[in-house]
Amino acid sequence: MARSGALQRILTLGALTAFAPMSIDMYLPGFTALQHDLHTTPEAVQRTLVVFFVGLALGQAFWGPVSDRYGRKRPLLIGIALYVLASLGCAMAASMDALMLWRLLQALGGCAGIVIARSMVRDLYAPVDAARVFSRLTLVLGAAPILAPLAGAALVQSWGWRAIFLVLSAFGVACLLAALALPESLAPGARSNAQQHPVRNALRTYFDLLRDRRFIGFALSGALGQSAMFAYIAAAPFVFMQVFGLSSAQFAWVFGANALGLIAASQINHALLARVGSGVLLHWALLSLTVWASVMLALAVLEVGGLWGVVIPLFIALSSLGFSFPNATALALAHQTGRVGSAAALMGSLQFTLAAASGSAVSMIAAHSALPMAAVFCAFAGLALWANQRLAPR
């Protein structure tokens, strides 16, 4: 029973961290239909992603200190409820302005699941075990980019893009019911430390974290690497469906295959952690990410390889993130006793602030080829490697 309960807990935590990929990846196949229905431009549709990233960044900065002070469970349930209501609002939006507002609120609610799930892992597991658990969460997390675009494409073809948000609302309700069974992982005694950092002093806590080299080097390494992926996410619908002419269903399969590579890598990472340290795995993962991003950029500049010249190096680069994400997260949170929620929140805020920057950079460049996506992807991959080599402690 204990083993079954532990598995159920990991599955629930994985589902909570999947709010972002579910809300992004299921939505991507509906870009073209949404553009036509609301009579807008591709760049405007991409900005709905940027708004979502901004909401994820701002919301995590709020939920982290709140969960340190009041415990994990109550803020988690409030955040999920907001996500459910905002998803219904997205389904009923009659204009781009309304959609962007509801997407912002959807992100603000959904990010409670992301930051609090990470905090719960750090509450419940030692650092080495936490890295293994984060690898398992990546397995659950990685299922979303495989299944969500396929489901999104089917929903768009059968009922239109609004059905996507109705399904996301139902997903939120299911997560809310599952979260009710989670234990409160932050004991009242542990909250006495968090009481020294009430919400009004959250900026001081964040400033201390930014000066903590153990935290910031690993946090930036992970956040910059993830931001490279978000450049791909923001540009992928237009690159693959408009530049290369794939259908929404074909795009969903390509997107899912890339996610499958990330899942496989995360489980290899789980096995290697028994013999290789997290810091070593993180370094080689970021090196692989940068090398294959550079290959993709070179092929895009030379206009060599067509679709396969993008898909193959992109697949290997994204798979590298299956090693970098769990190790960077575990290393960044390893020494943050008493402020785990704030640390997880700041890491998530950095990630999605940089994701908004990468998505904005892509959306400002007309997507007539794969070059803008490849260039932004490569830039953030290189910055992730630099942060790990120059800022992270050895």
Side-chain angles (χ1 to χ4, degrees):
M1 287 295 293
R3 189 182 182 99
S4 175
L7 177 60
Q8 181 179 351
R9 180 189 303 163
I10 290 174
L11 289 173
T12 299
L13 293 174
L16 295 175
T17 61
F19 274 120
M22 284 289 290
S23 304
I24 295 167
D25 302 339
M26 186 179 288
Y27 177 54
L28 298 180
F31 268 29
T32 301
L34 189 156
Q35 177 187 337
H36 293 154
D37 186 34
L38 296 184
H39 308 290
T40 188
T41 64
E43 292 76 19
V45 178
Q46 285 181 328
R47 283 195 288 273
T48 64
L49 274 183
V50 175
V51 166
F52 191 82
F53 295 153
V54 170
L56 289 172
L58 294 176
Q60 290 187 73
F62 170 77
W63 291 115
V66 167
S67 71
D68 276 344
R69 186 175 186 185
Y70 298 107
R72 311 300 188 202
K73 193 166 180 178
R74 187 167 36 163
L76 174 63
L77 298 177
I78 294 171
I80 298 173
L82 175 59
Y83 176 88
V84 171
L85 293 174
S87 298
L88 291 174
C90 290
M92 295 183 291
S95 67
M96 286 300 295
D97 289 341
L99 180 60
M100 285 194 279
L101 174 60
W102 285 116
R103 285 288 276 173
L104 177 64
L105 292 174
Q106 186 189 40
L108 291 173
C111 65
I114 300 168
V115 66
I116 293 175
R118 290 178 183 175
S119 301
M120 284 183 160
V121 171
R122 182 59 186 86
D123 292 340
L124 297 168
Y125 300 94
V128 174
D129 292 328
R132 294 191 178 101
V133 173
F134 281 124
S135 293
R136 292 305 191 203
L137 292 189
T138 305
L139 175 62
V140 180
L141 188 63
I146 294 175
L147 301 175
L150 295 172
L155 289 169
V156 170
Q157 290 176 357
S158 300
W159 294 289
W161 64 270
R162 296 179 189 277
I164 293 171
F165 291 106
L166 294 176
V167 171
L168 289 175
S169 181
F171 172 71
V173 170
C175 287
L176 183 63
L177 295 175
L180 289 171
L182 287 174
E184 173 54 70
S185 63
L186 189 64
R191 283 176 231 175
S192 63
N193 293 328
Q195 295 283 358
Q196 299 173 13
H197 305 284
V199 176
R200 65 178 180 271
N201 290 328
L203 289 178
R204 181 182 301 173
T205 304
Y206 288 140
F207 183 70
D208 290 341
L209 285 166
L210 290 171
R211 294 189 299 171
D212 182 351
R213 187 172 177 180
R214 283 182 175 181
F215 172 79
I216 197 62
F218 294 123
L220 273 177
S221 299
L224 286 163
Q226 291 293 100
S227 297
M229 181 178 70
F230 282 114
Y232 150 71
I233 289 172
F238 297 106
V239 169
F240 288 113
M241 289 194 282
Q242 295 192 11
V243 175
F244 291 117
L246 300 186
S247 68
S248 60
Q250 290 171 325
F251 165 74
W253 283 108
V254 170
F255 200 88
N258 286 329
L260 186 61
L262 191 150
I263 290 176
S266 72
Q267 300 318 294
I268 295 171
N269 177 73
H270 181 275
L272 288 176
L273 281 167
R275 299 186 298 274
V276 184
S278 290
V280 174
L281 288 170
L282 176 61
H283 167 75
W284 286 105
L286 294 176
L287 182 61
S288 172
L289 174 69
T290 304
V291 167
W292 287 101
S294 300
V295 170
M296 178 174 61
L297 177 59
L299 294 176
V301 169
L302 297 173
E303 297 183 349
V304 173
L307 174 64
W308 293 109
V310 173
V311 167
I312 293 174
L314 181 63
F315 174 83
I316 302 173
L318 291 170
S319 297
S320 303
L321 293 172
F323 294 94
S324 67
F325 169 72
N327 291 304
T329 304
L331 289 166
L333 300 181
H335 303 282
Q336 303 305 326
T337 302
R339 57 185 188 186
V340 172
S342 295
L346 181 56
M347 187 174 185
S349 293
L350 285 171
Q351 175 184 329
F352 287 106
T353 298
L354 293 168
S358 67
S360 296
V362 170
S363 68
M364 288 189 296
I365 308 171
H368 300 306
S369 73
L371 183 57
M373 179 185 75
V376 177
F377 188 104
C378 188
F380 278 89
L383 287 171
L385 181 62
W386 172 85
N388 181 248
Q389 291 182 330
R390 297 297 298 273
L391 301 179
R394 299 292 173 223

